[in-house]
Amino acid sequence: MTTETTFGGHRIFVTGGAGFIGSRLVRQLSAKGAELGVYDNLLAQVHGPSPSVNLPAQVTIADVRDGDALSAAITAFKPTMVVHLAAETGTGQSADEPVRYVDVNVGGTARLIEAMRRLDKPPQRVVLAATRAVYGESAYRTATGDIVIPSPRRPEDMAKGIFDVHGADGATLTPERTLETMAPAPSSVYGSSKLMQEYLLLQVPAAWNTTILRLQNVYGPGQSLRNPYTGVLSIFCQQAMAGKTLNIYEDGLIYRDFVFIDDVVSAFVAACADGGQADRLLNVGTGHETSILSAARMILTDLCLPDHQLTVTGDFRAGDVRYAVADISRTLAALDWTPRVSFAEGVAQLVNWAKAEARL
């Protein structure tokens, strides 16, 4: 991001603005001259039992399911831009609490849209924190070079230790990085509810332009260590420091695109600064793959813990995807942005922060 980017004269309303991504984004935008409004319910699962907010913003503590409170806050603030981060996250929990996920993610977005449409002067741009979970499994290449979208892996095969993705003929397929043009096929309630957010913003007639950022696996200092549904790297840090053996699912060769928090925040800043008039749908990741096994080993190494404090168990989650890595070429071309933090650098920062938190 160029240092010349400023937001003087802009009023930016951020739902979920006290969260992992939101709090950093608010500080970045404030430092660049924007006036900020934050709307967040300070969910105890994420923020703990006694959260406090210290942000350079007008803060409203309320839930996106409360349409009256949301409408009052956004009407009073009169935003020129809106960043919509508020959402329930976690694929596993979404299967257990589908009503909650749909109410917050779908219903909350619908209420936000209605509140914005009632404004005398609607915002110029809405930026949505979307997710790669809308894709489901990655695209794959056959031995003959054809690109296919495979069927979800079958639990009965995974129970036998068959984890690779196979085509209709039984041959093993080669994964490809995911393009934004790939047809969505979410494999979780979470992914489906997040896809509906995109549809609502694009299908409801409105005066604003919409930028949808489909985030890969975001990690870094400040990610909740108490939330069991937070990112896998934070969970590994917490478990390892507690002396637990890390349970590595499947054969450890589940691949993810881990993108550092600072790079994600800079992508949102770039999206807010984007002068393009058309709606945009963009991946935010690094384009690099990292296996869960190698990520766990790196965390143990940085914590100065033995490599044997992990075990590859063959456990699995039905509906989990094998390979999730972004093609970010469109994003690099569309925005003044590029990811800068390597995985090794990012993990080192996460581990150092987690160790400092453990000493508090």
Side-chain angles (χ1 to χ4, degrees), residues 228-268:
Y229 299 99
T230 191
V232 63
L233 303 186
S234 294
I235 293 172
F236 282 168
C237 283
Q238 188 275 331
Q239 291 177 340
M241 290 188 300
K244 297 180 180 179
T245 298
L246 304 184
N247 180 358
I248 309 303
Y249 277 24
E250 301 186 17
D251 55 0
L253 301 182
I254 302 168
Y255 288 92
R256 295 293 181 264
D257 185 342
F258 292 105
V259 57
F260 192 66
I261 179 62
D262 291 355
D263 287 330
V264 172
V265 169
S266 68
F268 276 95

Side-chain angles (χ1 to χ4, degrees), residues 292-324:
I292 296 297
L293 178 57
S294 63
R297 284 173 171 160
M298 186 176 292
I299 287 171
L300 291 177
T301 298
D302 284 2
L303 285 169
C304 299
L305 295 172
D307 187 69
H308 63 255
Q309 198 175 319
L310 63 78
T311 181
V312 180
T313 63
D315 291 346
F316 64 91
R317 292 189 308 181
D320 204 0
V321 301
R322 181 72 165 170
Y323 187 88

Side-chain angles (χ1 to χ4, degrees), residues 2-346:
T2 58
T3 56
E4 292 78 15
T5 300
T6 60
F7 293 93
H10 276 289
R11 298 173 60 81
I12 305 177
F13 188 83
V14 185
T15 71
F20 176 44
I21 298 172
S23 59
R24 288 158 178 76
L25 177 61
V26 164
R27 293 188 179 97
Q28 283 279 330
L29 293 172
S30 177
K32 293 179 179 293
E35 293 184 60
L36 276 301
V38 164
Y39 190 95
D40 200 299
N41 69 348
L42 301 183
L43 185 68
Q45 179 177 311
V46 176
H47 295 273
S50 303
S52 61
V53 180
N54 181 20
L55 292 170
Q58 299 178 31
V59 178
T60 301
I61 300 174
D63 198 293
V64 290
R65 291 171 291 186
D66 187 339
D68 291 338
L70 182 57
S71 183
I74 203 167
T75 299
F77 188 72
K78 299 180 177 62
T80 60
M81 279 189 272
V82 172
V83 179
H84 186 31
L85 291 160
E88 293 291 353
T89 62
T91 56
Q93 189 177 32
S94 72
D96 297 328
E97 301 183 58
V99 171
R100 174 181 161 195
Y101 273 68
V102 171
D103 281 353
V104 172
N105 296 352
V106 182
T109 302
R111 291 177 178 89
L112 175 64
I113 291 170
E114 289 190 349
M116 291 189 296
R117 293 184 74 190
R118 285 194 291 265
L119 293 172
D120 292 335
K121 188 176 182 180
Q124 301 164 15
R125 180 175 297 279
V126 176
V127 181
L128 173 67
T131 173
R132 73 86 42 216
V134 303
Y135 295 119
E137 189 60 74
S138 177
Y140 281 74
R141 188 178 297 275
T142 67
T144 57
D146 296 324
I147 298 295
V148 297
I149 307 300
S151 300
R153 294 178 295 167
R154 300 188 307 171
E156 55 267 35
D157 290 336
M158 298 170 75
K160 298 174 184 176
I162 302 172
F163 300 121
D164 284 332
V165 177
H166 296 86
D169 60 357
T172 302
L173 301 173
T174 302
E176 294 284 318
R177 289 174 177 78
T178 304
L179 288 161
E180 293 90 343
T181 52
M182 177 174 158
S187 59
S188 66
V189 172
Y190 167 64
S192 295
S193 67
K194 292 291 290 181
L195 180 59
M196 186 58 69
Q197 289 184 320
E198 297 185 15
Y199 286 158
L200 288 171
L201 281 166
L202 295 175
Q203 292 173 353
V204 174
W208 55 80
N209 296 314
T210 299
T211 299
I212 296 169
L213 300 182
R214 287 178 173 168
L215 309 182
Q216 298 292 309
N217 288 59
V218 186
Y219 75 101
Q223 194 165 31
S224 177
L225 295 172
R226 67 175 63 88
N227 182 1
Y229 299 99
T230 191
V232 63
L233 303 186
S234 294
I235 293 172
F236 282 168
C237 283
Q238 188 275 331
Q239 291 177 340
M241 290 188 300
K244 297 180 180 179
T245 298
L246 304 184
N247 180 358
I248 309 303
Y249 277 24
E250 301 186 17
D251 55 0
L253 301 182
I254 302 168
Y255 288 92
R256 295 293 181 264
D257 185 342
F258 292 105
V259 57
F260 192 66
I261 179 62
D262 291 355
D263 287 330
V264 172
V265 169
S266 68
F268 276 95
V269 174
C272 289
D274 180 23
Q277 295 304 305
D279 292 334
R280 295 192 188 275
L281 173 60
L282 302 169
N283 288 329
V284 175
T286 67
H288 299 294
E289 63 184 34
T290 303
S291 73
I292 296 297
L293 178 57
S294 63
R297 284 173 171 160
M298 186 176 292
I299 287 171
L300 291 177
T301 298
D302 284 2
L303 285 169
C304 299
L305 295 172
D307 187 69
H308 63 255
Q309 198 175 319
L310 63 78
T311 181
V312 180
T313 63
D315 291 346
F316 64 91
R317 292 189 308 181
D320 204 0
V321 301
R322 181 72 165 170
Y323 187 88
V325 180
D327 183 317
I328 60 171
S329 56
R330 176 186 288 187
T331 314
L332 296 176
L335 299 181
D336 182 14
W337 172 84
T338 187
R340 300 186 182 281
V341 180
S342 71
F343 186 63
E345 293 169 330

